[in-house]
Amino acid sequence: MKQRHLVTYAVLALVWGLSFMVLVRVVAAFGWAGTVSFRALTAGGALLLVALLMRRRLDFGCGWKPLAISGFLTVVMQLAGIAFAAPRIGTAMTAIIVSAIPLFSMVVGRIAGLERLNERSIIGLVMGFAGIVLLVGFPHAPLTPEFLFACAISILGSFSAACGSLYVSTRLRNTDPWVVTIGSFLWGGVMTLPLILFVPLPTVPGVADFLWLLVLGFVTSALMYVLYFGLLAAIGPTRAISVEFVVTVVAVAAGTLILGERLSTLQIVGGAVIIAGCALVLGVWPGARRQATGI
């Protein structure tokens, strides 16, 4: 990767890693449905306003349907999975599940004919899914139906994120990242807005809550997704999505050191196995020979 790509990679890892703490606070004020919808609308609307003020030309010639599909996969499903799971299973564990996205990306890419499974990839996939079993099956807290359901929702969200990244990298590869980000978030916000009728806000948000929502929507979502979609187009989905490894390290460190969250020994082992499996799948371990993804 070029130096500017490495800088983008590092910024994404740091901001997204710390965003889990902001997310938990926003969910407490707006509920998981309100958080996803208001976050998406804030992100899309703020970025559209910035583009207009900058007089940036936005070409939506790609049509509404690809942006709606991207919004459903990368915003509705992924962010809903994270917002629903984080308060129930902890930010550290949610972040570790998110780190499994490259595993799902490889599986979906193979099914779609975009990725090739060699011996190293197969070993990595087996390790990764074994790590998920350890992570979910041996928690520090009691194993309850609510815990398992939250884990399932988080895993589904990560799987959808993998599908969304592959979709964007193929169908919207030549589309302006600003257009992809604005369109995806606005569609995602509109799609999730009706859910507030069934999942009402748990409290009356204060001024500080709206400020945290603005940080979550504009900084960690709008600006970071512009960088991420640009990185996708520049270095490919598999290498770009590996940023989730570093995101996980930052989020787990923040969750344990700042929020006081605890993971069992087997969960820590499971998280390490997941990251090692993803590293095998991506070919990013030290000394590995980088291979083309075929995308």
Side-chain angles (χ1 to χ4, degrees):
M1 287 188 285
K2 297 180 180 179
Q3 184 175 1
R4 61 188 179 89
H5 297 150
L6 288 173
V7 172
T8 300
Y9 194 98
V11 170
L12 285 170
L14 181 62
V15 174
W16 275 347
L18 295 176
S19 71
F20 284 87
M21 294 192 301
V22 179
L23 174 70
V24 171
R25 177 159 186 167
V26 175
V27 171
F30 295 92
W32 69 265
T35 295
V36 175
S37 182
F38 297 150
R39 174 185 185 178
L41 292 174
T42 298
L47 195 59
L48 178 61
L49 179 61
V50 170
L52 293 175
L53 292 175
M54 293 174 57
R55 296 184 179 180
R56 182 185 179 93
R57 183 176 178 273
L58 298 175
D59 183 5
F60 289 91
C62 60
W64 66 269
K65 188 176 294 185
L67 296 175
I69 294 174
S70 173
F72 178 75
L73 293 173
T74 63
V75 177
V76 176
M77 295 299 291
Q78 181 184 12
L79 297 188
I82 295 174
F84 182 86
R88 293 169 173 82
I89 66 177
T91 61
M93 184 168 172
T94 303
I96 295 174
I97 292 177
V98 169
S99 74
I101 289 177
L103 299 176
F104 300 124
S105 179
M106 174 63 75
V107 172
V108 175
R110 177 66 182 89
I111 295 174
L114 301 174
E115 298 272 8
R116 295 189 301 273
L117 284 180
N118 53 29
E119 182 179 351
R120 185 201 70 219
S121 299
I122 294 174
I123 294 174
L125 288 174
V126 172
M127 288 179 60
F129 287 111
I132 292 175
V133 172
L134 290 174
L135 182 69
V136 174
F138 301 93
H140 182 271
L143 192 64
T144 64
E146 182 184 19
F147 175 85
L148 292 175
F149 182 69
C151 289
I153 294 296
S154 182
I155 291 171
L156 178 61
S158 294
F159 180 80
S160 297
C163 295
S165 292
L166 288 170
Y167 180 81
V168 169
S169 68
T170 53
R171 181 62 177 80
L172 296 170
R173 186 180 185 89
N174 297 318
T175 303
D176 183 357
W178 283 62
V179 170
V180 177
T181 306
I182 291 171
S184 298
F185 273 114
L186 289 180
W187 272 110
V190 170
M191 289 178 187
T192 52
L193 191 59
L195 292 177
I196 299 176
L197 297 175
F198 305 96
V199 188
L201 274 62
T203 183
V204 178
V207 175
D209 297 320
F210 282 101
L211 291 177
W212 283 117
L213 176 64
L214 184 62
V215 170
L216 189 67
F218 183 64
V219 179
T220 73
S221 298
L223 295 183
M224 292 303 105
Y225 267 82
V226 168
L227 294 179
Y228 178 66
F229 285 136
L231 196 65
L232 270 178
I235 67 175
T238 302
R239 294 172 67 192
I241 212 168
S242 69
V243 72
E244 299 296 352
F245 296 166
V246 193
V247 169
T248 300
V249 174
V250 174
V252 170
T256 54
L257 297 177
I258 300 176
L259 299 181
E261 297 177 353
R262 298 180 65 183
L263 295 173
S264 69
T265 301
L266 284 177
Q267 283 184 300
I268 295 174
V269 172
V273 171
I274 290 172
I275 292 178
C278 289
L280 278 174
V281 166
L282 296 171
V284 295
W285 72 93
R289 183 177 180 181
R290 195 175 303 280
Q291 297 181 357
T293 63
I295 297 177

